[in-house]
Amino acid sequence: MKLFQRVLEPLVSVMGLVGIICVTLMMLHITTDVVLRFVFNSPIRGTITIVSHYYMVILGFCSLAVAESRDAHVSVEVFTELMPRNVQSGLAAMAAFLAAIVFGFVTVRTWIEAIHKMEISAAIQQGSLTIPVWPSYFALPLGCGLMAVTALWRAQAIARGAQSTFGPDMNGELPAEELANG
């Protein structure tokens, strides 16, 4: 499983980097559009479509596996905190496995939709500009697929009692296992 983690971890990191790039590009794009709109009365054509159909979609779906790999998804643990540790671990493994199954189905369905949008060359008309949006549909199966694989990896790690996260935690620190290995 270490080999699987060594392949999965860089993929998740790349998706995180793609998310960071999208946030940066979106910030620069919107700021430039606002400045050009109000200072020079010349906005960037297609900004709304590009932001909503590219940056936001890519950012939203690329971040799924990153959050799963760090156990950073929102969870409510009102009742489970009262349960014994082994029951908590069992429930966590089952939840991760269920997430892997659900996201596997979502991956297949969004792949079918992405292929359909590519075949019809889906585009959005904004003013006199036609912006193709079909490429952004491929972010969904890519993000959901990586989320499914990451959740499956976490499920088996939790079930074995191994480290179930990788990468820096929410405080920017590496897991204890990586610190020990240098």
Side-chain angles (χ1 to χ4, degrees):
M1 280 318 222
K2 274 289 195 196
L3 176 64
F4 188 70
Q5 180 181 347
R6 286 193 179 141
V7 171
L8 183 61
E9 194 168 1
L11 290 174
V12 171
S13 295
V14 166
M15 292 298 261
L17 181 61
V18 168
I20 290 168
I21 291 168
C22 274
V23 167
T24 305
L25 288 174
M26 182 170 55
M27 178 186 66
L28 292 172
H29 190 149
I30 293 171
T31 301
T32 304
D33 181 57
V34 168
V35 168
L36 289 174
R37 177 180 311 270
F38 292 107
V39 175
F40 300 105
N41 196 26
S42 180
I44 299 173
R45 293 173 39 193
T47 295
I48 293 171
T49 301
I50 292 169
V51 167
S52 61
H53 285 84
Y54 281 95
Y55 299 136
M56 297 299 287
V57 170
I58 294 169
L59 177 62
F61 286 91
C62 284
S63 61
L64 288 172
V66 175
E68 181 66 20
S69 72
R70 296 179 182 177
D71 192 21
H73 285 290
V74 174
S75 63
V76 179
E77 301 163 343
V78 176
F79 299 111
T80 56
E81 283 186 349
L82 303 173
M83 297 176 181
R85 283 271 183 232
N86 61 343
V87 173
Q88 290 179 23
S89 293
L91 289 172
M94 190 170 55
F97 184 68
L98 183 60
I101 291 170
V102 169
F103 275 94
F105 283 123
V106 172
T107 300
V108 171
R109 181 62 187 107
T110 56
W111 177 259
I112 292 167
E113 186 68 15
I115 294 295
H116 172 70
K117 295 297 182 179
M118 181 180 72
E119 288 172 347
I120 65 170
S121 299
I124 299 245
Q125 188 78 30
Q126 187 174 353
S128 62
L129 190 62
T130 301
I131 301 170
V133 294
W134 66 265
S136 68
Y137 280 84
F138 285 96
L140 283 72
L142 185 63
C144 290
L146 192 55
M147 166 65 189
V149 171
T150 304
L152 192 59
W153 177 84
R154 282 200 66 238
Q156 67 77 30
I158 294 168
R160 288 184 347 194
Q163 175 77 28
S164 64
T165 59
F166 50 81
D169 68 12
M170 299 312 285
N171 298 322
E173 299 172 6
L174 290 173
E177 182 181 302
E178 285 189 32
L179 291 174
N181 294 335

